[in-house]
Amino acid sequence: MSDSQSTDFDPVAPNTGEEFEPVDVFDDSDDFDLRPGADSCYKCSTCDTNCPVAEVDDDFPGPKFQGPEQWRLKRRDDDPIDDSVMDCSNCMRCDNACPSGVGLSQMHNTARGEYVSEEMSTLSVEYVRNRLLANYRKSAWLASKVPRLANAAANFGPARWLGEKLLGVTGEREFPDFATETFTEWWAAQGGAAGSKERAREARERRGEPFDADKQVAYFHGCYAEYNTPEVAKALVRVYEHFGYEIVVPEQGCSGTPMFANGMLEDARRDAEVNVSSFADLVDEGYDAIASCTSCSMAIRQEYPELFDIDGIDDVAANTFESVEYLRIHEDLDGELADADVGDDLAAEFAYHAPCHARNQGLDRQAVELFGDLDGVGVEDVGDSCSGISGTYGWKAEKYETSMKIGDEMFDHMEAADGETGMTECPTCAMQMEHGTGYDVRHPLELLEAAVVE
Amino acid sequence: MAIESDVLVVGGGLAGLTSALAAARAGADTRLVSYKQSTLRHASGLVDVLGYTPDGDGPLVDPFDAIPDLPESHPYQTVGVETVREALALFDDAAPHYRGDHTDANALLPTHGGTVKPTARYPAGASAGVASDDRDTLLVGFEAMVDFDAPQAAAHLDAAGVPFDVRGATIRFPGDLRADAKLTRYAKLLDTNGTVTVDGHDRQVREALADRVKTELDGEERVGFPAILGDDDAAAVRDALADELGVAVFEVPMGPPSLPGLRLEDALFDALDEAGVSIETGNPVVDYDGGDRIEQVYVEKNGARIPNAADQYVLATGGLVGKGVESDREGVSEPIFECHVAHAADRYDWFADDVFGDHQFAQFGVAADDSLRPEAADGSTEFENLRAAGSVLGGYDFAAEKSGGGVSIATGYAAGRRAAEETR
Ligand SMILES: Cc1cc2nc3c(=O)[nH]c(=O)nc-3n(C[C@H](O)[C@H](O)[C@H](O)COP(=O)(O)OP(=O)(O)OC[C@H]3O[C@@H](n4cnc5c(N)ncnc54)[C@H](O)[C@@H]3O)c2cc1C
Ligand code: SF4
Ligand code: SF4
């Protein structure tokens, strides 16, 4: 639930409606009745002023239409879902805006699901392409088996051209590199959970903390840190172990973010079931779940409980944290950073972009605040615009231009900033930043590692 | 362990932002946590201090002059007229694109409905439109934006006896944007001076708009548009249009959603950043620990409760609209700290029969002592280290008095400064 406090909202008269019961609105059946949520929309259009797509794309009718208005229409005339819902990038900015707590992104996700299953032919190029993009993990898994070949093939000019012609995947972008060793391969080589336990205990001893301190986390690394940027996941491991945390890396699938955005709710559910079941047991045992990708933590915290009814889902959601946020709550990070300095290539000025999905978790300023007093490093916020790529969105040939138009403001701000290195928590935002400016982009965890781990 | 600061402000509307700024400038390590976007996006962007007395007398020429005669329970009386002035000085400094600080007198600004409204501070973009200026005026509305009916607004202004000739014209925005295009679509297009297609030719939007308006101009010396003229770069959009047209250009404040409100929010967030305030938005504060003193509060993210601790707290969660005060059939309450909100036991007494009557609900809010600390029903202090600011306070009716922005700024400033002083 994005807002359990929502009521029958009337800006003029006081609220005299009954207590709002979130469970009544989104009951456990698959057949969502979103009308009560739609009813609390009083058409102030605040959500529309937050939508980056509506800002640059004249054909997009905006979040208010995609959400509450569409649901009202459906209830009355059982109209089909309007195809413009596929133009929404699932940035979830509108969610954050509504003063009346309308669950906009849940409505959009549900509408997209219905559109894809009822109005889109599974034989169409668009469907096939979307399904491929949404199930990135599958191709990534395959590519990671032959990373060098995959890197070469994916960025081979004629192949990219063909990808655009045949599949509608834009030929403008470079495919991300696959690492030669996946994170889990590296993790196993480090001795897995047993190795981590040992290293964490040593760290606790060094820090003067009790041997049996309750410091256990389960890491959701997501697809990108697994196949493309294992350095981020490794940084997380080193930082957490430095603070004395024992880490486990349970079996996991994709978080589902690209599937929600493409209306592939069944694919998303399949992976969500795997994730919830493996994390629920650990949460039961007292572990907290952490994620280094802000779209992954967002999916588990908000989209899962909104869209699915899986045993243990609420517990997992309530015990999932973004990885730096978790340390901020439990450790004296500010103190540790005050005594730290950073050498080598991370002693730099960074142009930081806050991902939309970090914004929704209240984390959009975290990195700037955290590293504000760190010696030898500057982190400058490049403003509150959306990067425009929104996961798979900016990879679609027909969306590429919109995606770059949205990103323009960020590119300009990055170039105006002092630094020539970018920083963000989101791997796809990082791709867009790199694509638009040529900057190298790092994750805050990498900087944290450089600062606190000797 | 909790996320810690000296002063924690709960709520990111005009009151919370002012309060955090005042506290940080007074030297406190300050943190602001806020849930959804504030009512600034619904407000016109005008900052009213006092337009009418509670008895409905007005429009008032000098709001400061009228403050000492307000009822004892009014928030302006609690903080005192000097504090109102200091608070506005802080605001003027933080929002340099606002005008009106050269005089104590209220300015009279035309609104999108064609009324004239007394206000203390207004955006620079609206300044060429003030109603005391006697330059003849053309109002331009757009076909697709039905909220602003220019000919009708002009007729209303004329009937109100403004000291100039005013005429309205409705045109189609160049380039035929979709009929329900978003406000931000117009603003972005004008900000970037993007391309639109007019009669089969690609043209830059600012020039195309000016050319279209030129054909309507008939000797008027200023042109008023609905407030959509750019977001990040509003001054440049206005200047470019004025240049092309050869007359002054201004924006008429609009109803929600409001770009001037958005721009004000941006300016205040920038000021907070500069003052070193930490900010977190997107999730509500739902609970607290403590007895006579608040020890820590909890920010909720889908069931996860993130503790935030501070020495002093400011409650700036807004009124019924901002959700700082809640009501149901049983009663009225302040949901986070359960501070007492005075209201009649019988809910039928909350309203007056007449729609525009003296509604009790309009004044719902917590009562506070001299130091803005909420008071329980028996007059005792609810918490030693909690102060309240803005529409969560009771004792005034911002809509009737036209005092919303001013009360938020004045009480926000007072609460923030007091809180910072206590941490020394
Ligand atoms: C339609 C409309 C038009 C107006 N026009 C004008 C005008 O022209 N001129 C003028 O001077 N005034 C106007 N006002 C009044 C003015 O906007 C308000 O009086 C003033 O802005 C209130 O500020 P505030 O900070 O007290 O509350 P709000 O702006 O309501 O802000 C409250 C903030 O607290 C947050 N919050 C609420 N609950 C929680 C929680 N549990 N945890 C964390 N955060 C929370 C909310 O998300 C919100 O951001 C208007 C108001 C409205 C509604
Ligand atoms: S999720 Fe983002 S793109 Fe989609 S409607 Fe909301 S704000 Fe617009
Ligand atoms: S912000 Fe909320 S209430 Fe306002 S139009 Fe959007 S959904 Fe409706």
Side-chain angles (χ1 to χ4, degrees), chain A residues 5 11 99, chain B residues 9-17 33-49 117 119 256 265 283-286 315-319 321-325 334-336 389-393 396 398-399 402-408 411:
Chain A
Q5 269 148 287
Chain B
V9 177
V10 184
L14 200 45
L17 296 170
V33 289
S34 183
Y35 186 20
K36 301 282 174 164
Q37 286 169 359
S38 72
T39 50
L40 272 177
R41 291 181 185 233
H42 308 224
S44 58
L46 303 179
V47 174
D48 309 337
V49 169
K117 177 174 166 170
T119 193
E265 201 173 72
N283 297 286
V285 170
V286 291
L315 174 69
T317 45
V321 177
K323 296 218 185 292
V325 176
E334 181 283 303
I336 306 175
S391 333
V392 71
L393 287 166
Y396 73 114
F398 78 79
K402 304 276 175 261
S403 65
V407 168
S408 291
T411 55

Side-chain angles (χ1 to χ4, degrees), chain B residues 62 75 147 195 200-201 235 269 305 325 356 375 379 407:
Chain B
D62 182 342
D147 285 0
T195 310
H201 298 285
F269 272 104
R305 287 154 60 102
V325 176
F356 295 105
E375 287 177 331
V407 168

Side-chain angles (χ1 to χ4, degrees), chain A residues 47 50-54 60 62-64 66 87-95 104-105 108 112:
Chain A
C47 52
N50 281 262
C51 177
V53 176
F60 186 60
K64 180 179 61 175
Q66 301 305 339
D87 294 336
C88 155
S89 75
N90 196 36
C91 69
M92 301 171 88
R93 282 202 174 217
C94 47
D95 242 14
L104 286 143
S105 71
H108 300 169
R112 253 194 313 267

Side-chain angles (χ1 to χ4, degrees), chain B residues 43-312:
Chain B
S44 58
L46 303 179
V47 174
D48 309 337
V49 169
L50 192 65
Y52 295 83
T53 68
D55 299 329
D57 294 337
L60 297 169
V61 175
D62 182 342
F64 300 98
D65 203 35
I67 287 177
D69 299 327
L70 291 171
E72 268 309 300
S73 64
H74 197 287
Y76 280 144
Q77 291 287 28
T78 313
V79 300
V81 70
E82 258 330 288
T83 305
V84 181
R85 287 182 188 281
E86 286 171 27
L88 283 168
L90 178 84
F91 173 84
D92 292 329
D93 178 63
H97 68 294
Y98 268 67
R99 302 285 176 266
D101 58 341
H102 60 290
T103 169
D104 274 359
N106 273 325
L108 294 173
L109 268 290
T111 69
H112 66 287
T115 58
V116 174
K117 177 174 166 170
T119 193
R121 296 290 185 274
Y122 47 92
S127 61
V130 288
S132 51
D133 184 333
D134 60 9
R135 284 181 289 179
D136 288 349
T137 304
L138 173 69
L139 296 180
V140 173
F142 299 115
E143 276 172 15
M145 299 185 73
V146 290
D147 285 0
F148 182 54
D149 181 339
Q152 194 185 15
H156 279 185
L157 285 172
D158 197 47
V162 291
F164 48 85
D165 283 343
V166 51
R167 214 161 49 80
T170 303
I171 63 170
R172 181 173 292 183
F173 194 89
D176 284 337
L177 300 195
R178 61 178 297 131
D180 60 345
K182 307 304 159 207
L183 199 72
T184 44
R185 175 79 188 118
Y186 292 98
K188 179 94 176 182
L189 200 55
L190 286 163
D191 261 345
T192 55
N193 201 13
T195 310
V196 289
T197 313
V198 183
D199 296 334
H201 298 285
D202 279 354
R203 304 203 51 197
Q204 288 187 292
V205 65
R206 294 178 184 174
E207 205 188 80
L209 176 58
D211 280 353
R212 176 67 186 89
V213 172
K214 266 184 208 157
T215 65
E216 301 289 340
L217 260 183
D218 185 16
E220 286 90 355
E221 297 157 273
R222 49 181 177 168
V223 177
F225 292 94
I228 56 155
L229 305 182
D231 181 5
D232 289 332
D233 213 5
V237 175
R238 237 167 30 242
D239 287 351
L241 289 175
D243 256 13
E244 294 275 344
L245 288 168
V247 299
V249 164
F250 64 94
E251 288 184 312
V252 180
M254 298 288 291
S258 144
L259 270 183
L262 256 145
R263 296 181 198 133
L264 175 57
E265 201 173 72
D266 285 347
L268 293 174
F269 272 104
D270 284 349
L272 292 190
D273 271 339
E274 215 159 284
V277 174
S278 358
I279 303 172
E280 178 177 329
T281 59
N283 297 286
V285 170
V286 291
D287 203 359
Y288 72 100
D289 285 342
D292 293 343
R293 279 185 80 78
I294 294 163
E295 284 155 18
Q296 56 184 12
V297 299
Y298 294 96
V299 175
E300 195 192 72
K301 303 184 186 174
N302 280 95
R305 287 154 60 102
I306 318 289
N308 280 253
D311 184 32
Q312 300 290 322

